[in-house]
Amino acid sequence: MFEKLPLLLFSVILAIFGLRGCLAAYSYTTQWINVPVDHFSFANNDTFKLRYLKNDSFAFEPDSAVILFYAGNEGDIELFAQNTGFMWDAVADHSNRLNAELIFAEHRYYGQSLPYGNKSYNSAKELGYLSSEQALADFASLLQEINPGNRRPVVAIGGSYGGMLAAWFRMKYPHMVLGAIAASAPVLQFRNITPCGVYNRILTSVFSTAYSNECSDNIRKSWAVLRSQSETDAGRALITRKFHLCANLTKHEDIGDLIDYLNDMYSNLAMANYPYPADFLAPLPAYPVREFCWRLKGKNLNDTQLVESLAEAVSVYSNYTNKVKCLDVKTSTTEALGTRGWDFQSCTEMVMPMCSDGDKDMFEPEQWDFKKYSDDCFKKFGVRPRSEFEMITRYGGYQIDSATNIVFSNGLLDPWSGAGVLRTPNNRIKIVIIPEGAHHIDLRAKNDKDPQSVRAARQIHINTIKEWLSQN
């Protein structure tokens, strides 16, 4: 299996389903700016149009309004604008007295911001300008255009990879960015900082505690059962029938696609484990991990019972509305959200070691092997990551003592939290821990079902922004 990272979409991870349901929720104008394809050399003078979204209706004093700047991550920027309810709620609540303009900047090579149009993904020659540093330079060029002379304060906001970008934007361009709210930002998921097995251990804990530990135990057992069943015609027929697969399993190797799908699904369920129904990657119920695990309970299940229970549990993610005719494990709902681009970034700069041991976690044992990872990248894109340590060199890793005016928030139900900044290196960086929080739930719109810790986190964000503005 190609060792891809779980998508860090606002993500991770956002869904087309969510876009359809909330396009009318918030309003903005779509604008464009010309930016260089390559900010760091004079060998390529090509430019392209970068898309950004703007709403200035909350700026009651436009000349002094703070710019709340969403640092777009790996997907269509409209998805993030429609799903970052915190920003809209913050300015719409008159008690906050935030004189603000909202800007949502699209990340190059995602959405409609394609440097070489439909040829942008043709080869590494065109795709090679996709990087976090180039994206940050795009954001800086945009600010230079809409905020000449840095006349107005700017606060960067982002979740997941966008949270990483928001924090790095403040670190790299402190003269342009007053502060940053970095939600669920795994800035420490790099070699020799966060152990490679932490993500999967936290993920396992989420499934162990959602209903009972029988859930994670049965998931751990399921890998061998699925592979064993796939060895026979009867077993393959059973799996095809129970999972309602769109394509029949005809040979043993076909089981690999279902196993890849399940690995991704477990991450997505945990990241979208919100206390209310959400159209996130797919229509999901409140606390979807609990709903999943309730269907996968039971000890000493035989192979057939385990396949049946697992298939029923998977339907919570794949077909909760009962409107999907069959399960296509080869088609990801996140394809339009930047899967190809993120895979490329994972092969060049975002090398985040992942591993599992099958003992402390619920997954098949798989060691981190940088050489294999590099070889797989070369087969897929014709490129190799230069080093496992490149991002640490660029952004500092855990050595961020000189950074200031950043809020790092992490939900402890989020598997990415293990690579978040959980301890402050100085008194100018704030840490917000959300015990009941899934992936950047604090950036989502307020909901009556929000736990108190989530509401408190959002208030800390607002109070901190106001504090920064008062000191500016």
Side-chain angles (χ1 to χ4, degrees):
M1 180 182 71
F2 180 75
E3 297 180 23
K4 63 181 180 180
L5 299 177
L7 264 179
L8 280 171
L9 285 177
F10 180 39
S11 86
V12 190
I13 291 199
L14 292 164
I16 297 300
F17 299 102
L19 179 62
R20 286 204 301 260
C22 63
L23 266 178
Y26 308 119
S27 61
Y28 40 75
T29 60
T30 300
Q31 303 194 27
W32 303 83
I33 180 178
N34 280 321
V35 295
V37 169
D38 186 0
H39 290 273
F40 305 113
S41 81
F42 297 93
N44 184 343
N45 294 319
D46 293 346
T47 62
F48 73 100
K49 292 185 179 297
L50 184 81
R51 182 170 60 146
Y52 67 99
L53 312 177
K54 175 181 177 180
N55 182 303
D56 58 4
S57 63
F58 301 98
F60 47 83
E61 294 180 6
D63 291 341
S64 60
V66 59
I67 297 174
L68 298 185
F69 186 97
Y70 187 86
N73 29 336
E74 69 284 35
D76 189 302
I77 192 58
E78 289 193 75
L79 295 173
F80 301 109
Q82 292 293 344
N83 284 272
T84 313
F86 163 75
M87 290 174 63
W88 301 93
D89 291 342
V91 295
D93 186 342
H94 296 299
S95 66
N96 291 329
R97 294 292 296 169
L98 275 178
N99 172 34
E101 174 182 305
L102 303 184
I103 297 291
F104 295 85
E106 190 159 68
H107 195 299
R108 57 169 53 204
Y109 286 90
Y110 296 105
Q112 297 180 24
S113 298
L114 302 176
Y116 293 106
N118 59 12
K119 297 180 180 179
S120 296
Y121 282 81
N122 276 6
S123 69
K125 178 181 178 181
E126 291 84 14
L127 195 51
Y129 301 101
L130 169 55
S131 73
S132 57
E133 284 189 311
Q134 296 279 9
L136 292 176
D138 290 339
F139 297 163
S141 294
L142 173 55
L143 284 182
Q144 190 176 44
E145 175 72 17
I146 65 176
N147 190 34
N150 303 321
R151 294 176 303 188
R152 294 186 288 151
V154 176
V155 174
I157 297 173
S160 199
Y161 173 47
M164 301 169 80
L165 291 171
W168 293 337
F169 200 17
R170 165 60 185 172
M171 294 179 193
K172 291 287 189 178
Y173 297 88
H175 57 294
M176 303 184 84
V177 180
L178 176 62
I181 305 295
S184 299
V187 295
L188 303 181
Q189 188 65 51
F190 298 109
R191 185 62 186 265
N192 292 351
I193 299 180
T194 299
C196 61
V198 166
Y199 179 95
N200 284 323
R201 292 179 190 177
I202 296 175
L203 184 53
T204 299
S205 175
V206 172
F207 280 80
S208 296
T209 58
Y211 187 81
S212 79
N213 60 9
E214 293 173 2
C215 183
S216 58
D217 288 344
N218 284 329
I219 292 172
R220 185 181 292 110
K221 297 172 184 175
S222 71
W223 308 112
V225 170
L226 290 172
R227 293 192 184 278
S228 174
Q229 290 290 312
S230 71
E231 295 282 0
T232 67
D233 291 341
R236 290 192 293 270
L238 173 69
I239 294 171
T240 299
R241 185 173 66 254
K242 293 301 181 181
F243 281 90
H244 300 286
L245 298 181
C246 295
N248 293 335
L249 300 182
T250 60
K251 55 184 183 299
H252 168 64
E253 291 77 14
D254 292 344
I255 197 66
D257 290 329
L258 177 59
I259 285 176
D260 288 349
Y261 178 89
L262 293 175
N263 275 296
D264 288 343
M265 180 200 66
Y266 294 132
S267 288
N268 294 342
L269 277 172
M271 287 190 283
N273 195 30
Y274 301 128
Y276 44 77
D279 288 338
F280 211 58
L281 291 178
L284 295 175
Y287 292 115
V289 175
R290 182 176 63 191
E291 291 291 327
F292 178 97
C293 287
W294 179 79
R295 291 162 172 78
L296 196 56
K297 59 185 182 292
K299 294 182 178 180
N300 302 316
L301 300 177
N302 63 37
D303 288 4
T304 300
Q305 290 172 330
L306 183 55
V307 170
E308 291 174 340
S309 296
L310 179 60
E312 182 184 357
V314 167
S315 69
V316 171
Y317 178 80
S318 65
N319 192 20
Y320 187 67
T321 62
N322 291 318
K323 295 180 180 179
V324 178
K325 293 182 179 180
C326 62
L327 175 59
D328 185 355
V329 296
K330 291 185 178 181
T331 301
S332 171
T333 58
T334 60
E335 186 65 31
L337 300 175
T339 302
R340 289 186 302 162
W342 182 250
D343 282 352
F344 182 81
Q345 286 189 261
S346 299
C347 278
T348 53
E349 56 173 5
M350 304 298 291
V351 180
M352 297 177 164
M354 295 280 184
C355 63
S356 53
D357 62 14
D359 180 23
K360 299 183 181 65
D361 56 62
M362 62 188 188
F363 298 96
E364 294 180 290
E366 185 172 8
Q367 295 182 347
W368 169 249
D369 184 340
F370 179 68
K371 182 181 184 303
K372 179 180 180 301
Y373 187 92
S374 177
D375 290 343
D376 287 345
C377 287
F378 188 78
K379 291 176 184 177
K380 188 168 187 177
F381 294 110
V383 299
R384 296 180 184 275
R386 295 191 183 102
S387 164
E388 293 183 80
F389 305 99
E390 182 152 338
M391 297 302 278
I392 299 174
T393 301
R394 288 190 198 175
Y395 299 114
Y398 61 85
Q399 295 179 319
I400 55 173
D401 305 57
S402 61
T404 61
N405 288 12
I406 301 174
V407 176
F408 287 104
S409 62
N410 283 280
L412 297 186
L413 298 183
D414 177 15
W416 287 110
S417 64
V421 180
L422 304 177
R423 295 183 179 181
T424 182
N426 61 53
N427 61 8
R428 298 287 301 279
I429 290 179
K430 292 187 178 181
I431 306 300
V432 177
I433 304 298
I434 310 171
E436 304 97 335
H439 201 48
H440 51 67
I441 187 175
D442 46 325
L443 292 191
R444 291 180 62 80
K446 58 186 178 183
N447 189 288
D448 290 342
K449 300 291 182 63
D450 284 328
Q452 181 56 38
S453 62
V454 175
R455 302 180 189 192
R458 294 192 184 114
Q459 193 58 53
I460 291 173
H461 297 339
I462 292 171
N463 291 344
T464 302
I465 291 172
K466 294 166 71 173
E467 176 186 318
W468 291 335
L469 294 174
S470 70
Q471 297 171 355
N472 186 43

